[in-house]
Amino acid sequence: MALEKQLELGDSEEKVRKQVAVYVYEAPVRLWHWVTVLCILTLSITGYFIGSPLPSVPGEASDNFLMGYIRFAHFSAGYILAVAFIGRIYWALVGNHHSRELFIVPVWSGKWWAELWHEVRWYLFMVKTPKKYIGHNPLGQLAMFSFFVIGNTFMILTGFALYSEGLGSGSWADQLFGWIIPLFGQSQDVHTWHHLGMWYIIIFVMTHVYVAVREDIMSRQSLISTMVGGWRMFKDDKPD
Amino acid sequence: MAQIETFYGVMRRQGITRRSLLKYSSLTAAALGLGPTFAPKIAHAMETKPRTPVVWLHGLECTCCSESFIRSAHPLVKDVVLSMISLDYDDTLMAAAGHQAEAALEHTLEKYKGEYILAVEGNPPLNEDGMFCIVGGKPFLDQLKRAAKDAKAVIAWGSCASWGCVQAARPNPTQAVPIHKVITDKPIIKVPGCPPIAEVMTGVITYMLTFGKIPELDRQGRPKMFYGQRIHDKCYRRPHFDAGQFVEHWDDENARKGYCLYKVGCKGPTTYNACSTVRWNEGTSFPIQAGHGCIGCSEDGFWDKGSFYDRLTNIKQFGIEQNADEIGTAVAGGVGAAIAAHAAVSVIKRVTSTSNKEHGEQES
């Protein structure tokens, strides 16, 4: 993976230091990441309260709009998440080659499978030294695709299908996403699957955050600061 | 077809006045969501067009569709529309019985070949070659296929014919199937509900008579005019939903105040039907107005979607009945425990490898 890290034998120490920092995540990718974080947080909380609403509010119905605001927040965050995801797909086409890692998993590459196996062994404490990666490690890449890309796509599709029910038949959302409802059976089934999808995403977030923190400490490259500043730092100059 | 009398002819014979016809026409125009200008069109069609022969078959069912139909708000329906369609064949309501009734069916199918509308109440069981439902000594499945062969259009009355309903609920021992699994070459108009609303049933027939075509259907084959919106969208308790005011328990103060029944399992938000607009029994009431949540009777497989009193559906595939939140919490808890364990091992490994490093210059 780490092609940019090839160093000549007689390279100066200064060059080494330069070589070990690589600009990985371009600004749009980082922006998208943190926007998506906020959206998932909002969507999970409001979504949970749509399924299991808060205790009833007192007073006249005309003076309150609590459920309305919760649903508004959910729909707005859903729109932002979806638009950001479309933007992210666009950036995969025009951005650097790391921006494509999320969507294209190189299952055809033998080297990738070998490194995937190495990563699995690293997480099972069977190897002592992790490999260096500029982008995602193969295990991370596979998890990102199967949990995040698939999960996010599923939630956007089912989410807009449910949203189309409110807009009504013949609306743009109904024309684009309405076919999803009969695919699952009926509206209640889509609600249930969308709800399970939330937990799928929550499990992804838990694992993602844990692994990012752990790798930031234990691997040989920076993780968390990279998603803030975009630069991947390496902790040593040993070969991969 | 010239010898068939018009609706109006039958009506006069039954002693219904023209005034009654016009009232019915206006009511139906409103129910169909058409403008006032369509009332005279409907009246005109009723007066001039030959009535449409309808064959009404009964498979596995409870007759609630027929019961609903004869309680239509306007007397005209009971006295005229029903009597006219039952003239041809409806084994529950027709005067003839036994061989006479079966002969009447054969006669209608032959005489109006390609002209009649087939209305099906109930559905066919497929298990044991259809032996779980016998009509006139033969499986209902055969009668259904025979009658569907030369029908102009097919109406699936109620949730049985449309989706399968209770006899198709798990484990479905008779293998009851909705009629669209058997009739695959004809347009089927689904009028689901357990039972469907009487005005919806007469409205569909009147529309077909007036315009000579089947009403516009949605993706699942239901007339858009009656099934285009959810109960929730037109529910008079909707403001309490938006405000966040719910019945928390049966018979609590909020129930007395008529708050939203969402938390006690109302299926209004996932059910497409006209109950909250047309209502039942001459517009008297509908379940939510009576203080009970919608049970979603016009939706596919509503018997298998968990309790009528839970908002979140139980998911039976997981062995024990759990809803999405209970499953999600359990799995997330498991993942959380795994993460904690993994983190603990990571720390131990780190500590041991650091102490190794101090001894023999090993990098971790």
Side-chain angles (χ1 to χ4, degrees), chain A residues 50 59 123 174 188 195 214, chain B residues 219 245 262 313 325 342 346:
Chain A
I50 290 170
Y123 276 103
D174 177 57
Q188 183 80 14
H195 208 121
R214 181 183 188 271
Chain B
R219 283 189 191 83
Q245 298 178 318
Y262 186 82
T313 307
D325 275 341
H342 197 271
S346 302

Side-chain angles (χ1 to χ4, degrees), chain A residues 48 50-51 53-54 56-57 59 65 67-68 123 125 165 174 186-189 191-192 195 199 203 206 210 214, chain B residues 219 241-246 248 262-263 270 272 299-300 305 311 313 325 328 331-332 339 342-343 345-346:
Chain A
Y48 182 82
I50 290 170
L54 290 160
S56 297
V57 296
F65 200 59
M67 201 66 177
Y123 276 103
F125 309 106
E165 297 197 293
D174 177 57
Q186 48 131 307
S187 174
Q188 183 80 14
D189 299 292
H191 280 83
T192 303
H195 208 121
W199 287 103
I203 289 162
M206 289 168 70
Y210 167 64
R214 181 183 188 271
Chain B
R219 283 189 191 83
F241 171 83
D242 288 330
Q245 298 178 318
F246 304 98
E248 305 282 345
Y262 186 82
K263 278 190 179 178
T270 55
Y272 289 82
E299 285 296 314
D300 192 358
K305 304 300 172 206
R311 175 65 217 145
T313 307
D325 275 341
V331 176
I339 287 173
H342 197 271
V345 176
S346 302

